[in-house]
Amino acid sequence: MIAGTSRSALSGRLETTGIWLLLVAGAGIMFFPVYWMFATAVRPKDEVFSGAAGLIPSSFVWQNFTDAIGRVPFLSWTANSLIITVFAVVITVTINLLCGYAFAKFRFAGRDILFLAVLSALMIPFQVIIVPLFLVVSELGLLSDYWGVILPRAAEAFGIFMVRQFMVSIPDELLEAARIDGASELKIFFKIVVPLSKPIIAVLVIFTFMWRWNDFALPLIVMMKHEMYTVQLGLNLLRGQFNTEWSMIMAIALLSLVPMLIIFTFFQRYFVQGISGSGLK
């Protein structure tokens, strides 16, 4: 009996150790590109293309960051990206919440068919609609304008689907009690539904911020002027025809990660709740 218990405990420890090793290996694989970006950003420029470039730079040249910011309009690109991303997050999250709430809690003719039509948009690649989208934006006079990048993706099918699936778990009895008390639909939405939906709102904010901040294709066809470029377009602009300064590109790319890290850190607690639970106490 004692021997069996010892073997069982040893097997449990080995299993736990194996799981931790797999997690550490997976984290290392995911973190390595970020580390290599950092190593390239801080290593001497003449070492980037040499065969002696190793995992650890021979010296840390922090001046590469200041040189990169001084040589390109990085602050202007960052300001453009922030303006587009912040407005897009507010508009997109609001529309997704309203649409998801309607699909989850209201019954109307053609609801399921309309919801399937929204989901079908997930199967359409952006490259298929890029030409008609450019024509629409051009006809509206929104070329080289922030709204030309913000409005075409004001609603996301994936976000609507996530909100709908989350809000199905909110008890209908709670909403009916509020209606009996005389609360309007808008009051129910803002006073009851939104506070209960903080986890899914955090998920939407993180995903929408990430998608808009890293968006390249839509700003590429809309922004015609260099002063309206976002960070991603600016990085592409730095790729030379005959020579590319990878230290400068990696330094700017590394700095461009900071806003996303701040957003994720701020919403992390709600993000985990939104993924793992229903958000109801």
Side-chain angles (χ1 to χ4, degrees):
M1 180 66 70
I2 297 177
T5 304
S6 300
R7 285 195 297 268
S8 178
L10 179 61
S11 175
R13 286 195 296 269
L14 290 176
E15 182 179 353
T16 302
T17 303
I19 293 175
W20 274 105
L21 289 176
L22 288 176
L23 290 175
V24 171
I29 293 173
M30 296 179 66
F31 180 75
F32 182 77
V34 180
Y35 168 76
W36 188 253
M37 183 165 39
F38 169 77
T40 306
V42 299
R43 73 173 68 246
K45 296 180 181 180
D46 57 354
E47 187 181 324
V48 174
F49 295 100
S50 67
L55 291 177
I56 301 176
S58 60
S59 61
F60 292 85
V61 185
W62 301 105
Q63 189 177 353
N64 288 342
F65 290 94
T66 56
D67 291 343
I69 296 176
R71 292 180 57 182
V72 299
F74 174 73
L75 297 180
S76 176
W77 296 343
T78 303
N80 293 333
S81 293
L82 283 176
I83 292 172
I84 292 173
T85 303
V86 171
F87 277 94
V89 166
V90 173
I91 295 174
T92 302
V93 171
T94 302
I95 293 177
N96 287 347
L97 286 174
L98 291 171
C99 292
Y101 175 62
F103 280 123
K105 296 303 180 183
F106 289 94
R107 298 185 179 275
F108 51 89
R111 182 188 67 172
D112 295 337
I113 296 176
L114 186 59
F115 185 63
L116 289 176
V118 171
L119 291 181
S120 65
L122 293 172
M123 298 181 288
I124 302 176
F126 178 76
Q127 291 78 6
V128 174
I129 63 173
I130 193 170
V131 173
L133 183 60
F134 172 79
L135 296 176
V136 171
V137 173
S138 178
E139 289 295 326
L140 293 175
L142 297 178
L143 292 178
S144 294
D145 190 280
Y146 295 132
W147 295 109
V149 181
I150 296 172
L151 294 179
R153 292 185 173 178
E156 293 283 354
F158 181 72
I160 294 174
F161 169 75
M162 290 184 64
V163 174
R164 189 261 179 189
Q165 296 303 108
F166 180 88
M167 290 189 176
V168 165
S169 64
I170 298 178
D172 293 334
E173 294 79 7
L174 190 63
L175 307 182
E176 290 297 332
R179 293 189 181 100
I180 293 174
D181 290 339
S184 63
E185 293 298 331
L186 284 177
K187 187 174 183 180
I188 293 173
F189 178 77
F190 287 108
K191 296 294 185 180
I192 298 177
V193 177
V194 171
L196 292 175
S197 302
K198 287 180 180 179
I200 196 63
I201 292 175
V203 174
L204 290 178
V205 168
I206 292 175
F207 282 168
T208 306
F209 191 97
M210 179 181 64
W211 293 333
R212 292 307 188 94
W213 181 264
N214 292 323
D215 193 9
F216 176 79
L218 186 56
L220 179 65
I221 67 172
V222 173
M223 297 305 186
M224 302 295 183
K225 302 177 181 178
H226 285 183
E227 58 267 23
M228 299 297 293
Y229 273 17
T230 61
V231 174
Q232 310 307 325
L233 293 182
L235 284 172
N236 182 67
L237 190 65
L238 297 178
R239 187 180 58 182
Q241 183 177 1
F242 302 105
N243 183 32
T244 301
E245 295 191 22
W246 289 109
S247 296
M248 182 171 62
I249 291 179
M250 292 302 176
I252 294 177
L254 197 64
L255 292 174
S256 70
L257 296 178
V258 175
M260 287 188 293
L261 292 176
I262 294 174
I263 289 295
F264 182 79
T265 302
F266 185 78
F267 289 98
Q268 181 181 12
R269 179 167 61 92
Y270 291 113
F271 177 80
V272 173
Q273 293 179 10
I275 295 297
S276 62
S278 65
L280 295 177
K281 295 182 179 180

